[in-house]
């Protein structure tokens, strides 16, 4: 399976999701993690993971621009699963990731700012479908706070735009930040059972 | 009827890609700074400070796009603390 984790908005948790999915896929079969973000946060995670000697690890590479598609499609042939972290803006890397992927996961926070930023992304996704008609796009609600109305409003907005929403939800938790900084997953750190359960539910749903 | 899509123009069409194209040529790289000698020191700190250091190092690494480690933060804090003594 080839999965792109994308959003034109930065700071929504793309790298958290991409690195977790890549590590979890690596437990099933050889997995490739393509870091298409110039900030190379996923590559930093991979370096910390290597330093910490964690296993299994995805093979991680940085590709920029059209290379995400041109090189990525050849590299992906050698792996059971490929995860692409592309993003933070409407770049050639993000567009190429949408061509390479079979499924696009769009992490979004539940706020008006996130909803506004989605307009740009929806336009790019529609363009990508001209070339990759089978692209399956799913929205993942991130950093939700069940005490506020924002999540409900965001869900309404997504339904209005006919977007499919994953049942899995990822809440705001320190455990995710700490795990990334250790080159780990929340399951490997094992200190927050709720974070572990959230990520396991997401992985299960994506595989289904 | 919808026109046949053009892959090249799609890939080149990102707003960020356009900005990249029009970006000025990078400035020449300055000469590498002289690296000061470093000494290794083992110290004991509270778990709370340890966690602050980890999180701050991670936050700055993510924000700056370059690796900021805990030693950098300790050096920065101690340099500030001993600034007057160092300058004497």
């Amino acid at each position: 399976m080839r999965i792109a984790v994308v959003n034109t908005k930065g700071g929504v948790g793309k790298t958290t999701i991409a690195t977790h999915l890549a590590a979890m896929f690596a437990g099933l079969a050889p997995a490739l993690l393509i870091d298409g973000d110039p900030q190379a946060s996923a590559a930093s995670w991979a370096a910390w993971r290597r330093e910490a000697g964690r296993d299994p690890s995805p093979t991680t590479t940085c590709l920029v621009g059209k290379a995400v598609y041109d090189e990525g499609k050849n590299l992906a042939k050698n792996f059971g699963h490929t995860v692409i972290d592309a993003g933070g803006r409407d770049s050639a890397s993000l567009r190429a990731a949408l061509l390479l992927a079979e499924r696009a996961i769009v992490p979004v926070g539940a706020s008006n700012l996130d909803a506004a930023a989605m307009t740009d992304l929806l336009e790019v996704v529609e363009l990508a479908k001209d070339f990759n008609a089978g692209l399956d796009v799913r929205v993942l609600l991130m950093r939700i706070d069940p005490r506020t109305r924002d999540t409900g409003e965001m869900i309404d907005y997504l339904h209005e735009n006919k977007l499919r929403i994953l049942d899995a939800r990822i809440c705001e938790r320190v455990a995710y930040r700490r795990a990334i900084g250790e080159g780990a997953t929340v399951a490997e750190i094992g200190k927050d059972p709720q974070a572990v359960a959230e990520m396991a539910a997401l992985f299960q749903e994506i595989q289904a | 009827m919808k026109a046949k899509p053009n892959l090249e123009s799609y890939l080149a069409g990102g707003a960020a890609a356009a900005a990249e194209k029009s970006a000025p040529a990078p400035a020449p790289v300055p000469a590498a700074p002289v690296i000061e000698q470093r000494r290794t020191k083992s110290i004991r700190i509270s778990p709370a400070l340890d966690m602050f250091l980890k999180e701050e190092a991670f936050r700055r690494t993510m924000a700056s796009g370059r690796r900021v480690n805990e030693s950098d933060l300790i050096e920065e804090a101690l340099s500030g603390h001993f600034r007057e003594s160092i300058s004497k």
Side-chain angles (χ1 to χ4, degrees):
Chain A
M1 186 186 293
R2 295 188 304 273
I3 297 175
V5 184
V6 295
N7 197 333
T8 48
K9 187 176 185 303
V12 290
K14 288 184 296 295
T15 301
T16 300
I17 298 303
T19 52
H20 274 80
L21 291 180
M24 291 162 104
F25 274 127
L28 304 178
L32 173 67
L33 173 60
I34 298 176
D35 191 343
D37 187 335
Q39 287 194 338
S41 302
S44 298
W45 171 85
W48 298 332
R49 187 172 181 81
R50 200 165 40 246
E51 279 172 15
R54 297 188 192 280
D55 195 55
S57 288
T59 299
T60 305
T61 187
C62 291
L63 295 175
V64 179
K66 289 195 285 185
V68 171
Y69 178 70
D70 295 336
E71 298 297 324
K73 73 179 173 204
N74 289 323
L75 289 172
K77 288 176 190 163
N78 303 314
F79 295 88
H81 303 283
T82 297
V83 179
I84 312 144
D85 179 13
R89 56 204 187 130
D90 177 10
S91 62
S93 300
L94 183 145
R95 290 177 173 227
L98 291 172
L99 291 191
L100 180 61
E102 295 160 298
R103 177 171 287 182
I105 306 291
V106 184
V108 294
S111 75
N112 291 336
L113 275 178
D114 284 88
M118 276 207 77
T119 316
D120 291 345
L121 180 68
L122 293 177
E123 209 174 298
V124 181
V125 166
E126 283 311 306
L127 288 171
K129 283 184 174 175
D130 283 343
F131 308 98
N132 185 6
L135 181 65
D136 176 23
V137 181
R138 308 282 176 99
V139 174
L140 172 63
L141 289 170
M142 300 281 294
R143 300 176 172 177
I144 58 170
D145 184 345
R147 294 167 300 182
T148 70
R149 288 184 316 178
D150 294 350
T151 304
E153 287 174 2
M154 182 51 124
I155 290 171
D156 291 342
Y157 171 83
L158 295 170
H159 283 316
E160 281 165 20
N161 285 280
K162 300 182 173 51
L163 285 165
R164 296 177 72 178
I165 308 169
L166 288 163
D167 292 331
R169 304 275 194 271
I170 304 293
C171 292
E172 174 74 50
R173 298 184 194 284
V174 176
Y176 292 119
R177 291 203 301 276
R178 290 189 181 156
I180 297 296
E182 302 271 339
T185 64
V186 284
E188 288 164 346
I189 300 289
K191 284 189 179 164
D192 186 338
Q194 287 175 308
V196 175
E198 282 174 359
M199 210 44 91
L202 171 65
F203 188 55
Q204 195 173 14
E205 191 175 356
I206 284 173
Q207 285 181 285
Chain B
M1 200 172 85
K2 202 174 175 185
K4 187 175 184 297
N6 181 302
L7 182 62
E8 286 303 312
S9 80
Y10 161 76
L11 283 172
E20 278 164 11
K21 276 178 199 159
S22 61
V29 180
V34 177
I35 297 168
E36 282 182 80
Q37 198 181 4
R38 287 285 183 271
R39 290 187 183 165
T40 302
K41 209 166 190 63
S42 294
I43 54 169
R44 294 174 66 80
I45 57 173
S46 70
L49 272 179
D50 180 39
M51 192 50 71
F52 278 129
L53 273 173
K54 272 195 169 59
E55 293 201 338
E56 181 64 10
F58 173 61
R59 192 189 64 76
R60 288 214 207 167
T61 297
M62 290 299 181
S64 67
R66 66 170 186 88
R67 182 91 193 253
V68 176
N69 57 36
E70 294 172 39
S71 296
D72 297 332
L73 299 178
I74 292 170
E75 174 109 23
E76 184 184 297
L78 290 179
S79 298
H81 186 76
F82 292 116
R83 186 172 296 130
E84 284 183 16
S85 310
I86 291 168
S87 63
K88 276 178 191 168

